[in-house]
Amino acid sequence: MTTVDVVVVNWNGAEVVGDCLRSVVAHRSEHEVRIVLVDNDSRDDSLVVARDAAPGASVVRTGENLGFAGGVQAGIAASDGDVVVLLNNDATLVAGFVDAAVARLLGSPSLGAVTGRLLLLEPRADGVRLINSTGVEITASGNGRDRDWLRAEDEGSGSPREVFGLCGGAAALRRTALDDVGGFDPTLFLYYEDTDLSWRLRLAGWAIEYEREATVLHRHAHSTVEGSPLFVRQNTRNRLVVATRYAPPSVVLRAWAATIVRTARLGVSASLGRGSRDTARAVRRGLASAVGALPRDLATRRRWNRRSVLSSSARRSLISR
Protein backbone atom coordinates (compact mmCIF):
# COMPACT_ATOMS: atom_id res chain seq x y z
CA MET A 1 0.00 0.00 0.00
CA THR A 2 1.29 3.43 -0.95
CA THR A 3 1.32 6.14 1.70
CA VAL A 4 -0.05 9.45 0.46
CA ASP A 5 0.42 12.67 2.40
CA VAL A 6 -2.04 15.42 1.45
CA VAL A 7 -0.35 18.73 2.24
CA VAL A 8 -2.68 21.70 2.75
CA VAL A 9 -1.20 25.15 3.35
CA ASN A 10 -3.43 27.57 5.22
CA TRP A 11 -3.32 31.24 6.13
CA ASN A 12 -6.41 32.80 7.67
CA GLY A 13 -8.59 30.38 5.76
CA ALA A 14 -11.23 29.61 8.37
CA GLU A 15 -13.99 30.15 5.80
CA VAL A 16 -12.71 27.47 3.44
CA VAL A 17 -10.26 25.10 5.13
CA GLY A 18 -13.00 23.08 6.83
CA ASP A 19 -14.58 22.10 3.51
CA CYS A 20 -11.16 21.24 2.13
CA LEU A 21 -10.20 18.98 5.02
CA ARG A 22 -13.60 17.30 5.23
CA SER A 23 -13.29 16.36 1.56
CA VAL A 24 -9.99 14.62 2.31
CA VAL A 25 -11.33 12.85 5.41
CA ALA A 26 -14.30 11.57 3.42
CA HIS A 27 -12.17 10.56 0.43
CA ARG A 28 -12.08 6.83 -0.25
CA SER A 29 -8.84 5.35 -1.54
CA GLU A 30 -7.03 2.05 -1.77
CA HIS A 31 -3.99 3.87 -0.40
CA GLU A 32 -3.18 5.14 3.08
CA VAL A 33 -4.10 8.84 3.00
CA ARG A 34 -2.81 11.17 5.70
CA ILE A 35 -3.36 14.90 6.12
CA VAL A 36 -0.61 17.41 6.85
CA LEU A 37 -1.98 20.86 7.56
CA VAL A 38 0.56 23.68 7.49
CA ASP A 39 -0.68 26.82 9.22
CA ASN A 40 1.16 30.02 8.31
CA ASP A 41 0.51 31.77 11.62
CA SER A 42 -3.21 32.34 11.01
CA ARG A 43 -4.90 34.93 13.19
CA ASP A 44 -8.45 33.66 12.66
CA ASP A 45 -10.18 30.45 13.80
CA SER A 46 -8.49 28.26 11.18
CA LEU A 47 -7.01 25.80 13.65
CA VAL A 48 -10.28 25.40 15.55
CA VAL A 49 -12.10 24.72 12.28
CA ALA A 50 -9.36 22.33 11.16
CA ARG A 51 -9.43 20.38 14.42
CA ASP A 52 -13.17 19.86 14.09
CA ALA A 53 -12.97 18.92 10.40
CA ALA A 54 -9.94 16.61 10.57
CA PRO A 55 -9.03 15.70 14.16
CA GLY A 56 -6.45 13.17 12.95
CA ALA A 57 -4.49 15.60 10.82
CA SER A 58 -0.86 16.40 11.57
CA VAL A 59 -0.52 20.14 12.09
CA VAL A 60 2.66 22.09 11.32
CA ARG A 61 2.65 25.56 12.87
CA THR A 62 5.22 27.72 11.12
CA GLY A 63 5.02 30.65 13.53
CA GLU A 64 5.13 33.08 10.61
CA ASN A 65 3.65 33.51 7.17
CA LEU A 66 5.98 31.60 4.84
CA GLY A 67 3.72 31.99 1.83
CA PHE A 68 2.64 29.00 -0.22
CA ALA A 69 6.18 28.09 -1.26
CA GLY A 70 7.62 28.05 2.26
CA GLY A 71 4.48 26.49 3.71
CA VAL A 72 4.29 23.60 1.29
CA GLN A 73 7.99 22.89 1.71
CA ALA A 74 7.50 22.81 5.49
CA GLY A 75 4.71 20.28 4.96
CA ILE A 76 6.84 18.13 2.70
CA ALA A 77 9.70 18.21 5.23
CA ALA A 78 7.33 17.17 8.03
CA SER A 79 5.94 14.19 6.09
CA ASP A 80 7.37 10.94 4.79
CA GLY A 81 4.76 9.49 2.42
CA ASP A 82 5.74 7.87 -0.85
CA VAL A 83 3.52 10.39 -2.64
CA VAL A 84 2.81 14.01 -1.73
CA VAL A 85 -0.51 15.45 -2.86
CA LEU A 86 -0.75 19.24 -2.90
CA LEU A 87 -4.21 20.66 -2.30
CA ASN A 88 -5.14 24.32 -1.96
CA ASN A 89 -7.06 25.16 1.20
CA ASP A 90 -9.85 26.58 -0.97
CA ALA A 91 -10.20 23.38 -3.02
CA THR A 92 -12.08 20.15 -2.38
CA LEU A 93 -11.34 16.67 -3.67
CA VAL A 94 -13.74 14.96 -6.05
CA ALA A 95 -14.15 11.20 -5.59
CA GLY A 96 -11.35 9.21 -7.19
CA PHE A 97 -8.70 11.93 -7.17
CA VAL A 98 -6.07 10.11 -5.12
CA ASP A 99 -6.37 6.72 -6.81
CA ALA A 100 -6.36 8.23 -10.31
CA ALA A 101 -3.38 10.48 -9.60
CA VAL A 102 -1.33 7.82 -7.81
CA ALA A 103 -2.07 5.15 -10.43
CA ARG A 104 -0.81 7.46 -13.16
CA LEU A 105 2.21 8.59 -11.12
CA LEU A 106 3.38 5.11 -10.17
CA GLY A 107 2.54 3.66 -13.56
CA SER A 108 5.74 5.07 -15.04
CA PRO A 109 9.08 5.35 -13.22
CA SER A 110 9.97 8.47 -15.19
CA LEU A 111 6.98 10.47 -13.92
CA GLY A 112 7.88 12.98 -11.25
CA ALA A 113 4.48 14.63 -10.95
CA VAL A 114 0.87 14.34 -12.05
CA THR A 115 -1.18 17.51 -12.24
CA GLY A 116 -4.91 17.29 -11.69
CA ARG A 117 -7.93 18.94 -13.24
CA LEU A 118 -9.04 22.03 -11.35
CA LEU A 119 -12.60 23.15 -12.03
CA LEU A 120 -13.99 26.43 -10.77
CA LEU A 121 -16.40 25.76 -7.93
CA GLU A 122 -19.15 28.10 -9.11
CA PRO A 123 -20.68 27.06 -12.46
CA ARG A 124 -21.85 29.46 -15.13
CA ALA A 125 -25.48 30.53 -15.29
CA ASP A 126 -26.16 27.61 -17.65
CA GLY A 127 -24.75 25.14 -15.12
CA VAL A 128 -21.51 24.46 -17.00
CA ARG A 129 -18.35 24.45 -14.92
CA LEU A 130 -15.24 26.15 -16.26
CA ILE A 131 -11.69 24.86 -16.08
CA ASN A 132 -9.22 26.56 -13.78
CA SER A 133 -6.23 24.47 -14.85
CA THR A 134 -5.09 21.27 -16.53
CA GLY A 135 -1.45 22.08 -15.84
CA VAL A 136 0.94 24.96 -16.38
CA GLU A 137 2.36 26.29 -19.65
CA ILE A 138 5.22 28.74 -20.27
CA THR A 139 4.91 31.37 -23.00
CA ALA A 140 7.68 32.78 -25.17
CA SER A 141 7.84 35.85 -22.93
CA GLY A 142 8.28 33.81 -19.75
CA ASN A 143 4.72 34.03 -18.46
CA GLY A 144 3.32 31.02 -16.65
CA ARG A 145 -0.34 30.33 -17.41
CA ASP A 146 -2.95 27.73 -16.57
CA ARG A 147 -3.66 25.50 -19.54
CA ASP A 148 -7.32 25.48 -20.63
CA TRP A 149 -8.12 28.48 -18.40
CA LEU A 150 -11.87 29.25 -18.49
CA ARG A 151 -12.67 26.67 -21.13
CA ALA A 152 -15.89 24.75 -20.58
CA GLU A 153 -15.33 21.49 -18.73
CA ASP A 154 -16.18 19.30 -21.73
CA GLU A 155 -13.91 21.34 -24.03
CA GLY A 156 -10.90 20.27 -21.99
CA SER A 157 -11.70 16.57 -22.20
CA GLY A 158 -9.16 16.05 -24.96
CA SER A 159 -6.26 17.94 -23.39
CA PRO A 160 -2.96 16.07 -23.92
CA ARG A 161 -1.49 14.15 -21.03
CA GLU A 162 1.88 15.77 -21.63
CA VAL A 163 2.08 19.26 -20.12
CA PHE A 164 5.02 21.46 -19.18
CA GLY A 165 4.30 21.77 -15.49
CA LEU A 166 2.13 21.01 -12.51
CA CYS A 167 -0.40 23.30 -10.90
CA GLY A 168 0.35 23.50 -7.19
CA GLY A 169 -3.35 23.73 -6.35
CA ALA A 170 -3.92 20.01 -7.05
CA ALA A 171 -1.06 17.69 -7.93
CA ALA A 172 0.60 14.45 -6.88
CA LEU A 173 4.39 14.32 -6.61
CA ARG A 174 6.75 11.39 -6.26
CA ARG A 175 8.80 11.72 -3.07
CA THR A 176 12.00 10.56 -4.75
CA ALA A 177 11.57 13.19 -7.47
CA LEU A 178 11.14 15.92 -4.85
CA ASP A 179 14.26 14.72 -3.06
CA ASP A 180 16.13 14.62 -6.36
CA VAL A 181 15.50 18.25 -7.32
CA GLY A 182 15.25 19.84 -3.88
CA GLY A 183 11.52 20.47 -3.43
CA PHE A 184 9.96 23.92 -3.44
CA ASP A 185 11.96 27.14 -3.12
CA PRO A 186 10.71 29.08 -0.06
CA THR A 187 12.28 32.33 -1.31
CA LEU A 188 9.58 32.60 -3.99
CA PHE A 189 6.95 32.97 -1.22
CA LEU A 190 3.93 33.16 -3.52
CA TYR A 191 3.35 32.50 -7.25
CA TYR A 192 5.55 30.66 -9.79
CA GLU A 193 6.73 28.22 -7.11
CA ASP A 194 5.13 25.33 -9.02
CA THR A 195 6.65 26.59 -12.29
CA ASP A 196 10.08 26.75 -10.66
CA LEU A 197 9.75 23.15 -9.43
CA SER A 198 8.44 22.01 -12.81
CA TRP A 199 11.49 23.43 -14.57
CA ARG A 200 13.83 21.57 -12.23
CA LEU A 201 11.92 18.32 -12.63
CA ARG A 202 12.05 18.67 -16.40
CA LEU A 203 15.75 19.54 -16.52
CA ALA A 204 16.53 16.56 -14.28
CA GLY A 205 14.73 14.23 -16.68
CA TRP A 206 11.43 13.74 -14.83
CA ALA A 207 8.20 13.82 -16.84
CA ILE A 208 4.99 15.61 -15.81
CA GLU A 209 1.54 14.54 -16.98
CA TYR A 210 -2.07 15.60 -16.59
CA GLU A 211 -4.71 13.23 -15.22
CA ARG A 212 -8.29 14.20 -16.08
CA GLU A 213 -9.83 11.87 -13.49
CA ALA A 214 -7.91 13.57 -10.68
CA THR A 215 -10.38 16.42 -10.21
CA VAL A 216 -10.87 19.12 -7.59
CA LEU A 217 -13.32 22.00 -7.24
CA HIS A 218 -11.57 25.30 -6.58
CA ARG A 219 -12.54 28.70 -5.23
CA HIS A 220 -10.07 30.59 -7.39
CA ALA A 221 -8.03 33.42 -5.79
CA HIS A 222 -9.74 33.14 -2.41
CA SER A 223 -6.60 33.85 -0.36
CA THR A 224 -5.16 36.57 -2.59
CA VAL A 225 -6.75 39.14 -4.87
CA GLU A 226 -5.72 39.25 -8.52
CA GLY A 227 -4.46 42.71 -9.37
CA SER A 228 -3.59 43.58 -5.76
CA PRO A 229 -0.14 45.10 -5.10
CA LEU A 230 1.02 41.79 -3.58
CA PHE A 231 -0.18 39.84 -6.61
CA VAL A 232 1.42 42.25 -9.08
CA ARG A 233 4.73 42.51 -7.23
CA GLN A 234 5.16 38.78 -6.69
CA ASN A 235 4.15 37.87 -10.24
CA THR A 236 6.50 40.48 -11.70
CA ARG A 237 9.41 39.37 -9.55
CA ASN A 238 8.97 35.61 -9.74
CA ARG A 239 8.31 35.51 -13.49
CA LEU A 240 11.72 37.10 -14.03
CA VAL A 241 13.43 35.01 -11.36
CA VAL A 242 12.18 31.68 -12.72
CA ALA A 243 12.83 32.58 -16.36
CA THR A 244 16.37 33.70 -15.52
CA ARG A 245 17.10 30.46 -13.72
CA TYR A 246 15.95 27.96 -16.34
CA ALA A 247 14.37 29.28 -19.56
CA PRO A 248 16.03 29.43 -23.00
CA PRO A 249 17.98 32.69 -23.52
CA SER A 250 15.39 34.10 -25.95
CA VAL A 251 12.66 33.70 -23.32
CA VAL A 252 14.81 35.33 -20.66
CA LEU A 253 15.50 38.35 -22.87
CA ARG A 254 11.82 38.75 -23.80
CA ALA A 255 10.75 38.48 -20.16
CA TRP A 256 13.16 41.18 -18.99
CA ALA A 257 12.52 43.48 -21.97
CA ALA A 258 8.74 43.23 -21.59
CA THR A 259 8.93 43.97 -17.87
CA ILE A 260 11.24 46.95 -18.28
CA VAL A 261 8.97 48.43 -20.95
CA ARG A 262 5.89 47.78 -18.82
CA THR A 263 7.51 49.42 -15.80
CA ALA A 264 8.32 52.53 -17.81
CA ARG A 265 4.85 52.77 -19.36
CA LEU A 266 3.04 52.32 -16.06
CA GLY A 267 5.29 54.91 -14.44
CA VAL A 268 4.55 57.48 -17.12
CA SER A 269 0.80 56.76 -17.02
CA ALA A 270 0.72 57.06 -13.23
CA SER A 271 2.62 60.36 -13.31
CA LEU A 272 0.08 61.73 -15.79
CA GLY A 273 -2.83 60.59 -13.64
CA ARG A 274 -3.95 58.02 -16.19
CA GLY A 275 -3.03 54.87 -14.33
CA SER A 276 -2.79 53.32 -10.90
CA ARG A 277 0.15 54.49 -8.81
CA ASP A 278 -0.16 51.34 -6.69
CA THR A 279 0.17 49.07 -9.72
CA ALA A 280 3.10 51.08 -11.09
CA ARG A 281 4.82 50.92 -7.72
CA ALA A 282 4.21 47.16 -7.37
CA VAL A 283 5.68 46.42 -10.80
CA ARG A 284 8.68 48.66 -10.08
CA ARG A 285 9.30 46.91 -6.78
CA GLY A 286 8.97 43.49 -8.38
CA LEU A 287 11.50 44.43 -11.05
CA ALA A 288 13.90 45.86 -8.46
CA SER A 289 13.67 42.68 -6.38
CA ALA A 290 14.40 40.54 -9.44
CA VAL A 291 17.43 42.69 -10.25
CA GLY A 292 18.70 42.21 -6.71
CA ALA A 293 18.32 38.45 -7.07
CA LEU A 294 20.22 38.27 -10.38
CA PRO A 295 23.58 37.09 -8.98
CA ARG A 296 21.94 34.20 -7.15
CA ASP A 297 19.66 33.31 -10.04
CA LEU A 298 22.47 33.33 -12.60
CA ALA A 299 24.44 31.01 -10.32
CA THR A 300 21.38 28.74 -10.18
CA ARG A 301 21.17 28.86 -13.96
CA ARG A 302 24.81 27.77 -14.35
CA ARG A 303 24.27 24.93 -11.89
CA TRP A 304 21.18 23.62 -13.67
CA ASN A 305 22.73 24.05 -17.10
CA ARG A 306 25.49 21.70 -15.96
CA ARG A 307 23.02 19.19 -14.58
CA SER A 308 20.34 19.36 -17.30
CA VAL A 309 19.69 16.23 -19.34
CA LEU A 310 17.80 18.29 -21.94
CA SER A 311 19.35 19.63 -25.11
CA SER A 312 18.79 23.28 -26.03
CA SER A 313 16.21 22.26 -28.61
CA ALA A 314 14.40 20.04 -26.10
CA ARG A 315 14.29 22.93 -23.63
CA ARG A 316 12.87 25.22 -26.32
CA SER A 317 10.22 22.64 -27.14
CA LEU A 318 8.77 23.07 -23.65
CA ILE A 319 7.73 26.65 -24.47
CA SER A 320 4.17 27.18 -25.68
CA ARG A 321 3.59 29.24 -28.81
Side-chain angles (χ1 to χ4, degrees):
M1 180 183 293
T2 302
T3 54
V4 179
D5 289 326
V6 180
V7 175
V8 178
V9 178
N10 179 75
W11 178 71
N12 292 335
E15 294 182 1
V16 295
V17 72
D19 288 343
C20 172
L21 296 177
R22 279 188 287 270
S23 78
V24 182
V25 170
H27 200 71
R28 297 291 174 259
S29 172
E30 64 185 51
H31 306 290
E32 180 185 359
V33 178
R34 307 177 299 196
I35 301 173
V36 180
L37 175 68
V38 181
D39 189 74
N40 272 334
D41 199 28
S42 295
R43 301 307 172 92
D44 63 3
D45 293 330
S46 288
L47 291 177
V48 175
V49 172
R51 184 170 59 247
D52 290 342
S58 298
V59 178
V60 178
R61 302 190 187 197
T62 62
E64 59 181 312
N65 187 3
L66 302 178
F68 182 80
V72 76
Q73 188 57 27
I76 292 170
S79 64
D80 61 3
D82 306 307
V83 174
V84 174
V85 167
L86 307 181
L87 181 65
N88 272 6
N89 71 336
D90 55 0
T92 54
L93 294 180
V94 173
F97 179 98
V98 170
D99 287 353
V102 173
R104 171 63 60 80
L105 185 67
L106 301 186
S108 171
S110 66
L111 269 181
V114 169
T115 192
R117 180 176 61 152
L118 285 82
L119 302 178
L120 296 181
L121 177 64
E122 297 296 333
R124 293 188 316 205
D126 61 2
V128 174
R129 278 206 169 90
L130 301 181
I131 295 172
N132 183 163
S133 179
T134 62
V136 170
E137 298 176 321
I138 296 293
T139 71
S141 58
N143 291 328
R145 67 186 182 195
D146 286 310
R147 190 176 68 172
D148 292 328
W149 169 246
L150 296 187
R151 294 181 69 188
E153 177 181 355
D154 290 343
E155 292 177 8
S157 60
S159 299
R161 287 185 176 180
E162 182 77 10
V163 64
F164 163 77
L166 63 100
C167 173
L173 301 105
R174 191 187 299 265
R175 172 76 60 171
T176 51
L178 284 168
D179 292 342
D180 181 35
V181 302
F184 285 81
D185 177 7
T187 69
L188 294 174
F189 189 74
L190 197 63
Y191 305 124
Y192 279 83
E193 66 286 313
D194 46 10
T195 305
D196 180 86
L197 176 62
S198 297
W199 266 118
R200 282 182 279 125
L201 287 169
R202 288 294 197 177
L203 295 178
W206 295 98
I208 299 172
E209 291 186 355
Y210 158 64
E211 174 52 62
R212 185 180 187 277
E213 300 305 315
T215 300
V216 305
L217 301 181
H218 185 218
R219 292 180 175 91
H220 180 67
H222 179 273
S223 299
T224 57
V225 179
E226 288 191 21
S228 68
L230 172 64
F231 177 92
V232 173
R233 183 179 71 248
Q234 285 297 116
N235 268 278
T236 300
R237 175 192 186 273
N238 289 350
R239 179 175 62 251
L240 293 174
V241 164
V242 173
T244 300
R245 290 175 176 179
Y246 316 109
S250 60
V251 174
V252 178
L253 291 174
R254 287 192 191 98
W256 279 91
T259 304
I260 291 168
V261 170
R262 183 185 182 210
T263 303
R265 286 178 175 171
L266 288 172
V268 171
S269 294
S271 67
L272 296 175
R274 298 173 183 169
S276 168
R277 290 184 180 274
D278 288 342
T279 298
R281 186 181 303 113
V283 171
R284 186 170 65 250
R285 288 177 174 175
L287 175 60
S289 182
V291 170
L294 266 175
R296 181 196 62 199
D297 294 331
L298 290 172
T300 298
R301 183 180 184 86
R302 290 191 292 271
R303 184 168 67 252
W304 277 95
N305 279 343
R306 290 193 296 269
R307 181 178 174 185
S308 175
V309 300
L310 299 182
S311 64
S312 296
S313 59
R315 196 181 302 200
R316 289 193 298 271
S317 72
L318 297 174
I319 305 302
S320 297
R321 302 301 174 187

